[in-house]
């Protein structure tokens, strides 16, 4: 027997021997999938454990000691804040109004005739008594001459009748004539005296017509467009007249207010207080003038629930024009030494109105406040807040009780006149302060 080693078995023999031991192809594939699954799980775990978000820093869960939910609560939020301040706030009543001229006159002729001359320019400012136009005066000069001639004749007849009356009296005293003849002569004298009065009236009428041929301005104001040209025959019944004069200085504004405000306004008027009224343009941004309240209408419009008020303006710069639409703003009262904060700081929820107050540790607390009147971007706080406390103006949407904040504009206090920085805008160092809101 030979002692040489046997050759290694072929692959087919190994597979067949394995199959004989009970390890078939199905079992082999199952073991392969198990190892593949284990490797995937280990790789995913290593990725989440060893990953370094935010530029290589540890994950949010590691920063908070393995409590991912605490990271958002402890992270400081960037906000804009302002300091509450004690100051004055104006109480305004706003209404829609229309500019109305104090006097508007359509200049018409008092006599018929040809328009011989026009002495004005369209749009010219005129004073009362200025000559505007001339009607042909010749027909009225002829009438005056006729009346004067008639009067001269009647004066001569009167003198002759008076002389005859004196002679008849002498003859009557001498019993030379009858009493009837004397009385007839006396009646004739009185008749001529009446004729002279009628003649004088005719003369005055002719002079008046001659005066009316000169058309003068009945009021001071601004002329409109010319309605008739030179050479036309004008009549007293013409509808359009010659020109329209509108008084612009002073001028009035008629505006409306809700009926709920009437009691407060009437109280001021009964106390003889002058209420200031400002007129703004249609957009409500440009101030056109300032005046005082004249009067209040005597009844409320039941269809709208409003009442009309009239204010007078000097209108020195002619910024107010008749029939112009304006926004009227009347100063009713001034609240003194009240807490003022930006209107954007006031929040509203189920518990009412509240603000976020920043404490010394840069955390916020919810404070319920009672809001008073507002003016522009400024709100008056009647209770719940003290002067000097810091309130959050911008960035309140993600705040909760006790949240940490980082103030971007801590010194943005309320200006002395109640103006506020624009909501959400920050001011860098060196920038000009924001303009105060108009009051």
């Amino acid at each position: 027997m030979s002692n040489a080693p046997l050759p290694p078995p072929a692959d087919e023999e190994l597979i067949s021997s394995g199959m004989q031991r009970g390890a078939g192809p199905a079992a082999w594939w199952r073991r392969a999938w198990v190892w593949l699954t284990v490797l995937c799980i280990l790789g995913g775990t290593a990725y989440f454990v060893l990953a370094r978000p935010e530029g290589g820093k540890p994950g949010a869960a590691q920063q908070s000691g393995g409590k991912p939910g605490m990271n958002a609560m402890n992270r400081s939020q960037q906000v804009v804040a302002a300091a509450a301040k004690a100051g004055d706030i104006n109480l305004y009543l706003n209404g829609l109004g229309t500019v109305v001229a104090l006097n508007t006159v359509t200049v018409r002729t008092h006599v018929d005739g040809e328009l011989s001359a026009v002495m004005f320019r369209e749009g010219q400012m005129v004073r009362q008594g200025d000559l505007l136009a001339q009607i042909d005066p010749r027909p009225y000069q002829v009438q005056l001459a006729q009346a004067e001639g008639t009067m001269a004749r009647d004066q001569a007849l009167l003198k002759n009748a008076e002389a005859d009356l004196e002679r008849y009296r002498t003859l009557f005293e001498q019993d030379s004539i009858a009493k009837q003849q004397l009385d007839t002569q006396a009646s004739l004298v009185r008749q001529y005296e009446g004729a002279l009065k009628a003649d004088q009236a005719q003369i005055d009428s002719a002079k008046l017509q001659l005066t009316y041929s000169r058309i003068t301005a009945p009021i001071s104001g601004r002329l409109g467009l010319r309605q008739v040209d030179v050479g036309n025959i004008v009549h007293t019944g013409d509808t359009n007249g010659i020109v329209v004069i509108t008084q612009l200085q002073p001028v009035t504004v008629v505006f409306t207010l809700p009926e709920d405000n009437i009691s407060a306004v009437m109280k001021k008027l009964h106390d003889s207080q002058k209420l200031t009224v400002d007129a703004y343009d249609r957009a409500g941004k440009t101030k056109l003038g300032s005046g005082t309240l004249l009067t209040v209408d005597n009844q409320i419009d039941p269809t709208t629930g409003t009442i009309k008020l009239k204010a007078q303006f000097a209108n020195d710069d002619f910024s107010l024009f008749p029939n112009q639409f304006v926004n009227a703003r009347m100063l009713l009262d001034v609240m003194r030494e009240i807490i003022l904060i930006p209107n954007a700081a006031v929040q509203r929820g189920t518990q009412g109105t509240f603000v976020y107050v920043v404490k010394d540790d840069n955390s916020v607390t919810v404070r319920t406040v009672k809001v008073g009147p507002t003016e522009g971007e400024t709100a008056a706080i009647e209770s719940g807040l003290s002067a000097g406390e810091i309130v959050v103006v911008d960035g309140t949407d993600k705040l909760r009780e006790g949240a940490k904040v980082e103030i971007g504009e801590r010194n943005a206090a309320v200006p002395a006149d109640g103006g506020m920085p624009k909501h959400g805008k920050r001011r860098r160092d060196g920038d000009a302060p924001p303009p105060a809101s108009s009051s």
Side-chain angles (χ1 to χ4, degrees):
M1 179 178 293
S2 175
N3 295 325
L6 296 176
D11 294 338
E12 293 81 356
E13 296 178 357
L14 290 175
I15 294 174
S16 61
S17 62
M19 294 178 64
Q20 292 175 0
R21 292 193 297 268
W28 186 83
W29 282 111
R30 282 195 297 270
R31 287 194 298 271
W33 278 109
V34 169
W35 283 108
L36 182 60
T37 303
V38 172
L39 290 176
C40 291
I41 294 175
L42 293 176
T45 304
Y47 174 78
F48 286 105
V49 172
L50 301 178
R52 295 178 179 270
E54 299 181 4
K57 296 181 181 180
Q62 296 177 357
Q63 287 184 354
S64 59
K67 296 181 179 179
M70 295 296 295
N71 181 53
M73 294 295 295
N74 294 334
R75 184 184 303 170
S76 297
Q77 299 186 34
Q78 188 78 13
V79 296
V80 177
K85 184 175 181 179
D88 302 338
I89 187 171
N90 298 327
L91 303 182
Y92 287 98
L93 297 178
N94 299 316
L96 303 179
T98 304
V99 180
V100 179
L102 277 178
N103 296 291
T104 301
V105 177
T106 301
V107 179
R108 296 184 174 91
T109 177
H110 287 79
V111 294
D112 298 342
E114 179 185 351
L115 186 64
S116 60
V118 172
M119 288 80 169
F120 64 87
R121 299 187 313 273
E122 296 175 327
Q124 176 185 349
M125 296 297 300
V126 295
R127 295 184 178 275
Q128 184 177 4
D130 290 349
L131 181 62
L132 300 180
Q134 177 71 56
I135 304 295
D136 187 5
R138 291 175 295 180
Y140 305 103
Q141 291 173 349
V142 172
Q143 292 179 6
L144 176 60
Q146 289 177 346
E148 290 175 345
T150 302
M151 185 176 184
R153 182 197 64 186
D154 292 341
Q155 285 177 343
L157 292 175
L158 176 62
K159 288 182 180 179
N160 184 45
E162 290 175 343
D164 289 344
L165 180 60
E166 291 296 327
R167 287 194 291 271
Y168 287 166
R169 285 174 179 170
T170 303
L171 293 174
F172 177 75
E173 291 175 356
Q174 297 174 358
D175 198 18
S176 298
I177 59 175
K179 180 72 168 51
Q180 181 181 1
Q181 191 174 358
L182 177 62
D183 294 340
T184 301
Q185 188 63 31
S187 298
L188 183 61
V189 171
R190 292 193 294 270
Q191 180 180 349
Y192 286 146
E193 290 176 347
L196 285 179
K197 291 183 179 180
D199 294 340
Q200 184 63 48
Q202 290 294 329
I203 292 175
D204 294 340
S205 177
K207 288 182 178 180
L208 182 61
Q209 300 297 321
L210 193 59
T211 302
Y212 281 155
S213 66
R214 291 172 50 88
I215 302 175
T216 58
I219 62 172
S220 300
R222 186 178 187 271
L223 297 176
L225 302 180
R226 186 176 66 249
Q227 303 297 320
V228 63
D229 298 326
V230 175
N232 286 277
I233 302 298
V234 293
H235 304 278
T236 57
D238 292 342
T239 304
N240 296 330
I242 297 176
V243 71
V244 177
I245 303 178
T246 303
Q247 183 177 353
L248 299 180
Q249 292 177 334
V251 75
T252 62
V253 171
V254 177
F255 60 100
T256 58
L257 288 179
E259 57 182 333
D260 298 337
N261 303 131
I262 297 305
S263 58
V265 176
M266 295 304 297
K267 182 179 179 181
K268 296 290 183 180
L269 292 179
H270 289 162
D271 295 339
S272 301
Q273 297 186 20
K274 290 186 177 181
L275 299 179
T276 303
V277 180
D278 297 328
Y280 288 81
D281 62 354
R282 183 181 295 270
K285 297 180 179 179
T286 303
K287 184 177 178 180
L288 303 178
S290 183
T292 57
L293 183 66
L294 279 183
T295 185
V296 179
D297 200 1
N298 60 354
Q299 59 183 349
I300 296 174
D301 187 352
T303 59
T304 60
T306 59
I307 191 169
K308 293 181 180 180
L309 298 90
K310 179 183 285 188
Q312 182 171 310
F313 295 75
N315 199 26
D316 295 329
D317 56 354
F318 298 100
S319 58
L320 296 174
F321 219 74
N323 297 329
Q324 179 182 4
F325 176 84
V326 295
N327 287 286
R329 193 183 186 198
M330 183 173 66
L331 178 61
L332 183 64
D333 203 352
V334 180
M335 298 183 67
R336 305 289 183 182
E337 293 301 318
I338 194 170
I339 303 301
L340 304 177
I341 64 172
N343 197 17
V346 179
Q347 308 296 317
R348 290 168 175 82
T350 56
Q351 70 272 28
T353 54
F354 63 93
V355 295
Y356 286 103
V357 180
V358 182
K359 298 189 293 186
D360 294 336
D361 58 353
N362 283 343
S363 64
V364 295
T365 181
V366 178
R367 183 83 58 80
T368 302
V369 295
K370 182 179 180 182
V371 182
T374 61
E375 178 193 351
E377 297 181 359
T378 306
I381 303 299
E382 296 180 356
S383 63
L385 202 63
S386 301
E389 290 188 290
I390 306 298
V391 295
V392 178
V393 177
D394 191 10
T396 60
D397 41 338
K398 295 184 179 180
L399 292 183
R400 298 294 183 271
E401 177 71 30
K404 294 290 185 178
V405 295
E406 181 181 347
I407 301 176
E409 194 177 356
R410 188 182 184 91
N411 295 327
V414 180
D417 58 353
M420 288 294 158
K422 293 295 183 181
H423 174 62
K425 294 185 178 180
R426 301 176 184 173
R427 179 165 56 91
R428 299 185 300 270
D429 294 338
D431 292 347
S437 61
S438 60
S439 301

